[in-house]
């Protein structure tokens, strides 16, 4: 979003990110609570600083990779692993992660599905602002980004929920017999 805002309104990316993060942290405090907001605060401070420090890295380091799909896949896998571990340990990187946490909480969907939904909307919308209709190169990049978002959300959920399709949980109770009877009767 910050890249589109910079292109359309000429607002520096770090300024937009900082203002958005403060707004979302306030929203997080009221919707998600003090603990989640505290854990998001670190990412909300560190991320804009990292963006500022690495904003011109592409001009310093040349990636001579002819296979854009390969770069997309590996970048998405690294991103998904990193964000999955971040969420798994109770933190977020702020920004759209806060929106995804809110979506996950109220829409009862996984964080990966929230990331996928929100970022699909953002990326498809950005295709209209960055290249405009009919500009094939911009839409080609949108398609690569959609592949990346799918992989990021999938790996994010795998890290959070585990690789297995079956899950186990423990019920600690003084009413063991009645809970067993309920589970057998209702769930089979």
């Amino acid at each position: 979003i910050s890249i589109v805002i910079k292109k359309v309104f000429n607002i520096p990316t770090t300024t937009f990110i900082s203002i958005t993060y403060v707004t979302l942290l306030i929203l997080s405090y009221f919707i998600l609570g003090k603990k989640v907001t505290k854990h998001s605060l670190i990412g909300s401070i560190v991320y804009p600083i990292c963006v500022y420090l690495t904003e011109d890295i592409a001009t310093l380091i040349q990636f001579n990779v002819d296979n854009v799909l390969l770069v997309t896949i590996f970048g998405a896998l690294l991103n998904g692993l990193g964000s999955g571990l971040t969420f798994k340990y109770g933190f977020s990187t702020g920004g759209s992660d806060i929106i995804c946490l809110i979506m996950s909480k109220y829409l009862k969907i996984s964080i990966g599905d929230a990331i996928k939904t929100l970022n699909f909307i953002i990326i498809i919308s950005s295709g209209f602002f960055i290249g405009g209709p009919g500009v094939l190169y911009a839409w080609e990049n949108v398609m690569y980004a959609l592949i990346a978002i799918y992989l990021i959300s999938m790996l994010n959920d795998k890290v959070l929920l585990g690789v297995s399709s079956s899950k186990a949980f423990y019920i600690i109770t003084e009413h063991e017999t009645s809970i067993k009877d309920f589970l057998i009767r209702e769930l089979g």
Side-chain angles (χ1 to χ4, degrees):
I1 296 174
S2 61
I3 294 169
V4 172
I5 295 296
K6 182 177 182 176
K7 185 169 181 78
V8 175
F9 299 107
N10 201 28
I11 295 172
T13 54
T14 52
T15 302
F16 178 77
I17 290 170
S18 298
I19 291 169
T20 303
Y21 274 35
V22 169
T23 305
L24 288 171
L25 280 170
I26 293 167
L27 190 63
S28 171
Y29 182 80
F30 291 109
I31 296 175
L32 299 172
K34 185 176 172 180
K35 184 179 178 182
V36 173
T37 303
K38 185 175 86 174
H39 288 145
S40 297
L41 184 61
I42 295 168
S44 296
I45 292 169
V46 172
Y47 181 72
I49 292 169
C50 290
V51 168
Y52 175 75
L53 293 175
T54 61
E55 201 166 28
D56 296 323
I57 201 163
T59 60
L60 302 173
I61 301 172
Q62 295 296 317
F63 291 101
N64 293 326
V65 178
D66 294 330
N67 192 336
V68 179
L69 183 60
L70 186 63
V71 173
T72 300
I73 291 170
F74 273 93
L77 293 176
L78 289 172
N79 186 309
L81 179 63
S83 65
L85 289 171
T86 302
F87 284 124
K88 184 173 185 151
Y89 292 103
F91 292 89
S92 84
T93 57
S96 64
D97 283 358
I98 292 172
I99 297 170
C100 292
L101 288 170
I102 293 169
M103 288 173 64
S104 177
K105 178 178 180 178
Y106 288 103
L107 299 177
K108 307 292 186 223
I109 59 176
S110 71
I111 293 174
D113 284 345
I115 290 169
K116 184 172 37 182
T117 303
L118 180 64
N119 286 326
F120 270 25
I121 292 167
I122 292 168
I123 288 168
I124 290 171
S125 300
S126 72
F128 292 102
F129 290 104
I130 291 176
V135 177
L136 182 60
Y137 181 72
W139 287 106
E140 183 178 317
N141 288 338
V142 166
M143 289 185 268
Y144 283 122
L146 293 175
I147 292 169
I149 293 305
Y150 177 77
L151 293 173
I152 290 166
S153 66
M154 183 182 69
L155 189 56
N156 195 312
D157 279 345
K158 294 295 182 195
V159 170
L160 281 171
L161 306 173
V163 178
S164 172
S165 61
S166 60
K167 305 291 175 241
F169 60 92
Y170 296 95
I171 300 172
I172 301 169
T173 181
E174 294 175 357
H175 309 285
E176 179 181 340
T177 307
S178 61
I179 290 179
K180 270 198 246 181
D181 291 341
F182 173 80
L183 291 173
I184 291 170
R185 187 177 64 251
E186 296 296 321
L187 302 179

